[in-house]
Every structure is written in structure tokens, then in C-alpha cells.
Amino acid sequence: MGEQQMDDQQLLRYSRQIMLEGFDYAGQEALTNAKVLIVGLGGLGCPVAMYLAAAGVGELWLADDDAVDLSNLQRQIAHSGADIGRAKVDSAADTIAALNPAVKVRPMAQRLADKALDEAVAGVDLVVDASDNFSTRFALNRACVQQRVPLVSGAAIRCEGQVAVFDPRHADSPCYRCLYDDGGDDAQLSCAESGVLAPIVGVIGSLQALEAIKLLSGYGEPLRGRLLVIDGRSLECRTLKLPRDPECPVCAGLG
């Protein structure tokens, strides 16, 4: 399929972005022709999907095997009480359609793994990791490194969060495995186990959407090789440099 051309209605819809110096028409056109995979439609994935749709990303692939539960509604803003029991990807798809019907949505009500994961990553321009378990995060990282697809990673628990960009298209960019060893405890990431204050996932998810837009459009300076850490209780933020691990079992030797 060739590149899509924007009509007058789209130019008006996205005019506030297009007028940004350094973003311009070319940046919006890049978004319009982009495909993004969002893994996880929970507290992080909901604002990611909604902001990317509103910003005009052309196609969103939504992957999650979970259904909407009453306890999700405190923070997962793409879902409502009427969606309880529905697949999260279907609920999110309806919300996206209401926000911006021009965006194509591909719901995948499954936990992507093995060949299905590799094929999904190979079919998009960027992946957003909004999952809540280490096994999925390591698998996504491996697939993105192999396919050389940029990965926007986010995590939030209690009132703390972090965001990073891992971009295997750049020789000096670390990957997720450079930062974390295998064998992490998924309970540490569980809102059911540790609790979470609702706005923190909105903050982190919005930052993930921002980083995705920057990467796709070439606007600004992405968090490539850096980790942004936020403590919502004190509203203190730190940015840490992430060096590439020359002994990383996933990305070592990637040139």
C-alpha cells in the first residue's frame, strides 16, 4: 500500500501539530503513514493508544489477552463500566474509533509470543511496551532487536514510573536486556500486589506516546539511551544515562 495523502479535514484536525517548528507537514505525514504495535491495553496502554490515535498515527495494532474488570476502571481510561467482561482490545478499539475514525485498528486478543510476536514486530514501524510482566518485556525486546524496530518502554507502580527508548537502528543504543537481567519478579510489577495511584500510569503512558511521536516524526530528541525516572509523591524526576552492555546476550555484536 502506498503512502496516504492528507485531505483538508485532516490538515485542520492536526493543524496545531503541523504548525510546530521542526514538525511541520512532513512530521504529520510520517505519523499518518506509520504503524505502531501497542502491547498491553491497561493503565499504560490506554493513554498511549488514545494519544497516538488523536495525534493521527495511521494504524494501531493492539495486543492484549485480558478482559476488562471492575478494578481496572480506576486507571484504564479507554474502558468504561459498560465494557466489563469485554476484551480490552475491543473496548480500546471502540474508544479509538470515537476519537479518530480515520485511524485503522488491528485488535489482537492474544498474548503475542514466538512466531506471532516476530511477525507483528516485523509488520510495524515502532513498538510500545505497555505490558506488566518481565517475560513479555524480554520477548518484545528480543524481537525488536532482531527486527531493528524501535521500542518505547514504560513501567509504573505505586506512585513511581519510568520511561526509556531502545532503538536498535543506532549502534550505540542499549536494549532492555542491557538494563535488566532475566528472572525478574512479576509480582513487583503487579498493581494487584503493590497498588497504584491512577494518574501515574497516565503520566507514564502519555510520555510513552510522546516518545513514540518523536521517533516516528523525527521531532525533538528521543530518550534514546536514557532512562527517565519519576517519583510522583515528590514529583522529582531524574534522567539516567544507559550505556550499552558489550556483553549483552541480546544486542552484543549488533552493528
Side-chain angles (χ1 to χ4, degrees), residues 51-54 57 59 110 112 148 160 166 170 203 234 240:
Y51 267 116
L52 293 186
V57 172
E59 192 166 331
Q110 63 187 102
L112 292 175
R148 300 207 177 196
E160 305 150 13
F166 305 105
H170 293 255
V203 170
S234 60
L240 310 175

Side-chain angles (χ1 to χ4, degrees), residues 8-70:
D8 290 343
Q9 286 297 309
Q10 287 175 303
L11 291 173
L12 179 59
R13 177 186 283 265
Y14 308 126
S15 60
R16 300 304 189 270
Q17 289 174 180
I18 293 172
M19 70 172 57
L20 291 172
E21 183 178 357
F23 193 90
D24 305 318
Y25 179 88
Q28 190 61 52
E29 188 177 41
L31 291 188
T32 301
N33 289 288
K35 297 179 181 180
V36 175
L37 169 64
I38 303 171
V39 178
L41 273 300
L44 299 175
C46 285
V48 170
M50 293 168 71
Y51 267 116
L52 293 186
V57 172
E59 192 166 331
L60 296 176
W61 297 18
L62 312 179
D64 196 315
D65 64 346
D66 201 7
V68 179
D69 181 83
L70 178 61

Side-chain angles (χ1 to χ4, degrees), residues 91-146:
S91 170
D94 286 349
T95 298
I96 290 168
L99 280 172
N100 191 349
V103 175
K104 295 180 180 177
V105 180
R106 181 176 174 179
M108 294 177 281
Q110 63 187 102
R111 178 166 292 199
L112 292 175
D114 303 324
K115 184 180 180 181
L117 174 59
D118 292 335
E119 290 177 347
V121 171
V124 299
D125 302 296
L126 181 142
V127 175
V128 178
D129 181 1
S131 65
D132 61 358
N133 64 87
F134 281 111
S135 58
T136 298
R137 292 179 178 184
F138 285 121
L140 273 176
N141 178 69
R142 175 196 54 76
C144 286
V145 169
Q146 290 181 351

Side-chain angles (χ1 to χ4, degrees), residues 130-237:
S131 65
D132 61 358
N133 64 87
F134 281 111
S135 58
T136 298
R137 292 179 178 184
F138 285 121
L140 273 176
N141 178 69
R142 175 196 54 76
C144 286
V145 169
Q146 290 181 351
Q147 303 290 343
R148 300 207 177 196
V149 173
L151 173 66
V152 179
S153 175
I157 198 72
R158 294 178 292 274
C159 201
E160 305 150 13
Q162 61 183 45
V163 183
V165 168
F166 305 105
D167 192 347
R169 301 172 301 177
H170 293 255
D172 60 345
S173 176
C175 76
Y176 186 81
R177 182 63 177 77
C178 293
L179 181 60
Y180 292 106
D181 291 332
D182 286 324
D185 182 5
D186 285 344
Q188 296 176 358
L189 305 178
S190 171
C191 295
E193 295 289 334
S194 303
V196 63
L197 195 60
I200 194 67
V201 292
V203 170
I204 299 301
S206 297
L207 288 172
Q208 287 181 275
L210 174 62
E211 291 302 306
I213 290 170
K214 286 160 60 180
L215 285 160
L216 293 169
S217 66
Y219 179 74
E221 183 63 34
L223 271 172
R224 188 183 296 118
R226 294 179 291 154
L227 176 71
L228 176 66
V229 181
I230 298 176
D231 184 339
R233 293 167 297 184
S234 60
L235 210 56
E236 292 183 346
C237 302

Side-chain angles (χ1 to χ4, degrees), residues 145 148 171 244-255:
V145 169
R148 300 207 177 196
R244 188 168 182 178
D245 181 0
E247 305 297 325
C248 176
V250 175
C251 71
L254 184 68

